[in-house]
Amino acid sequence: MTAVVGLLATGFTLSTADAAAPSQGTVSDADTSLTWGGGPFLVPNATGAAGTPDCSVPQSCDDFALHVATPAGYGTTHALNIKVAWANTAADFDVYVLDKGGNVVDTSASSADPEQVILPPNSGDYTVRVVPYAPLGESYSATATLTEVPANPAPGTQTPPNFATYAAPSTFKDANNAGEPSIGTNFKTGATLYQAYRSTFKATFDDSVSPARVTWSDVSAKAANGCPQGSTVSLDPILFTDHQTGRTFESQLSGANSLTCYTDDDGKTWSPSTGGGIPSGVDHQTIGGGPFASGGVGALPTSAYPDAVYYCSQDIATAFCAVSRDGGTTFGAGVPTYSLLDCGGLHGHIKVAPDGTAYLPNKGCGADQAVVVSKDNGTTWTVSKVPGATPGDSDPSVGVGSNGTTYFGYVGADGKPGVAVSRDQGKTWTDRQTVGTSFGIQNAVFPTVVAGDDDRASIAYLGTPAGGNYQDNANFHGIWHLYVDTTYDGGKTWVTSDATPGDPVQVGSICTSGTTCGDDRNLLDFMDVTVDDHGRITVGFADGCISACVTDPNHTGRDSYATIARQSAGNTLFAKYDQPTSNATLSSLAVAAGKGGSVTATMLVKNTGTTTLTDLGTQVLDGTRVVGALTTASLAPGASRTLGVTWKTTKGNHTVTATVDPADRVVESNEADNKLQKSVTVR
């Protein structure tokens, strides 16, 4: 669960706040930027931690009247970016943007410096309210800028995966108490383990039928099966399964440490662990593991267990990670990974690469999100920022491919889901882009990433095409689904799946602002994704909309039901399990007019599937007249063939259409790439 931070609210009284200097200004398409400031501030105003910030005391809030004047359609290619910064990064200011009626339209109330809000640049009058949450005598400087939104790559052309959902039995304890679920798969046995608060469920899938059948069992740790501290008390639940060793850890935050158990037989028996290193933090615990980094300090295990196990948690002003060299039975000392001078306190879940590099993601390290990286088995840590990934409300996530390619998934200050890719252990990042565009996603929460083969990865998140303040309990009415974006080309392009079509995960608002939320805090702070031994994408999420909520738009639900969305069709994250596909592509068409009314069409036909194509037809039309019908006897996967047709025609303008497989004899994975058309003038 997130530590207490500012809560979005409505109904601010604007007249009680102090005025910034200057007190007002305008941005427009002709004058796109302005600056202002305020302070110094000596007295903290932490009233936002309990709900609406109280601005009745002088210097407890600072208001700037912002007027935006833009033409119609300007928001298609531009955004309004508001930044508030201060010199001492140990201080903290929060930002609220209010409309003319006093309703909050967006906020940034994290520990990032600068705080950023990105909004549609709609014309109107706004109030930018700066609250000195922990000012330490600092002044702030602010900018409002109309920025051009970078062009986003087009979605991929691969067929998106399909998913089937599986809800835990209602008889299970904690079946409807599964906020912040974790999920893991044991490659040795095929079992999937799901953590729902203090309970651990095992799901076994039968793939001899489609969609697969599931068998559930409650395998929670307890004294009777070997772990006395198991399933007793919890401030935060977490679960991690090491795919290769088959060992699963379930851990319950207990304050400055955790109550942790592990199993090597999918929950039949459990063993106790010390839980973490000393010192540890009080919040946002995470467990992960993988191979030791070669050559690093403590590179060798001290038991027969081959992999390193990490326990990390944050302590408001810093975060600690401790490493176990004996399979998670005991842990070494907690090592600081960063401080508030580097990043905000809260972090996401640790992931370990095949080469032993450890990645701890963070949603706010200055003006960007970041990963904190260790290449020496947790001895030292370095902050690696992801340029352009603006700080957001949800923890980011990392997935690491089989050869070390690192995929970073996040939700930015604009509320939209995004991804970026690193191929050098986080030193540099490429291919940053917004995902979910084919479904028009405007707000997203809980991004979680998994990778398989080095060029394949998925990011899952809850998303909605509804824009606006998604944390406004009274006025936001968006419909949220579980979406999964998948790349098959190393993050160059992504394809989006709606994993819960016709079945919302939440109706209305979702609060990501900590323990002071109302009934829309039911899903808590995160969800999880993994792959099974065949690379099937498997998402563990809490379903907030069940029973009557599914069909009644006026029923907001607010459940947190333990549910798995598992890939049921399509290519997985392991290419060796891809189903054979047939696809013929007309890659190019060139048309040229010659002398005496002759026209020549030259075509490149390519086999973009995985099976050999035989007797492949290609047809050429001049208007509606068939002028060419060609047959390619055999075309191997990846091979191409240049074809040509010449014919006589009349003077004037002609439309030439070439089609590969015109009779639809081949069942193809993509029927949209068979036809091209060109115009030619014959003189």
Side-chain angles (χ1 to χ4, degrees), residues 35-102:
T35 63
W36 72 95
F41 296 89
L42 302 176
V43 180
N45 179 6
T47 57
T52 303
D54 182 352
C55 298
S56 59
V57 176
Q59 282 203 317
S60 59
C61 300
D62 213 42
D63 279 1
F64 179 80
L66 175 64
H67 180 68
V68 179
T70 57
Y74 190 77
T76 304
T77 55
H78 293 79
L80 172 61
N81 192 333
I82 298 171
K83 292 184 180 181
V84 175
W86 51 96
N88 182 357
T89 56
D92 188 24
F93 291 80
D94 293 337
V95 181
Y96 300 82
V97 181
L98 289 65
D99 63 18
K100 194 171 183 179

Side-chain angles (χ1 to χ4, degrees), residues 516-538:
T516 61
C517 296
D519 66 349
D520 56 351
R521 172 84 174 141
N522 53 310
L523 304 179
L524 300 181
D525 288 325
F526 59 81
M527 60 185 190
D528 201 9
V529 65
T530 187
V531 293
D532 70 3
D533 60 338
H534 279 56
R536 298 182 189 92
I537 306 156
T538 309

Side-chain angles (χ1 to χ4, degrees), residues 613-636:
L613 300 173
T614 59
D615 298 325
L616 179 65
T618 302
Q619 183 185 75
V620 181
L621 300 178
D622 182 348
T624 59
R625 179 168 67 103
V626 177
V627 294
L630 308 172
T631 300
T632 302
S634 179
L635 196 62

Side-chain angles (χ1 to χ4, degrees), residues 26 57 88 106 118 148 155 159 184 194 230 265 286 328 361 373 384 479 500 504 582-583 593 617 630 637 667 674 679:
T26 298
V57 176
N88 182 357
D106 208 344
I118 299 177
E148 188 169 355
T159 302
Y194 180 110
D265 53 16
T286 174
V373 182
S384 170
I479 306 296
T500 56
S582 297
N583 200 65
L630 308 172
V667 178
N674 289 16
S679 296

Side-chain angles (χ1 to χ4, degrees), residues 5-16:
V5 295
L7 177 68
L8 293 174
T10 61
F12 283 88
T13 303
L14 301 182
S15 61
T16 58

Side-chain angles (χ1 to χ4, degrees), residues 227 229 249 258-262 271-276 324 327-331:
C227 194
Q229 67 258 41
F249 298 83
S258 69
L259 304 174
T260 301
C261 309
Y262 64 86
S271 300
S273 163
T274 58
S324 173
T329 303
T330 63
F331 287 81

Side-chain angles (χ1 to χ4, degrees), residues 576-619:
K576 67 180 179 179
Y577 296 109
D578 285 356
Q579 295 297 313
T581 60
S582 297
N583 200 65
T585 301
L586 188 61
S587 297
S588 65
L589 169 64
V591 180
K595 295 180 179 179
S598 69
V599 178
T600 299
T602 305
M603 299 146 287
L604 182 65
V605 175
K606 186 173 183 179
N607 183 347
T608 52
T610 60
T611 60
T612 297
L613 300 173
T614 59
D615 298 325
L616 179 65
T618 302
Q619 183 185 75

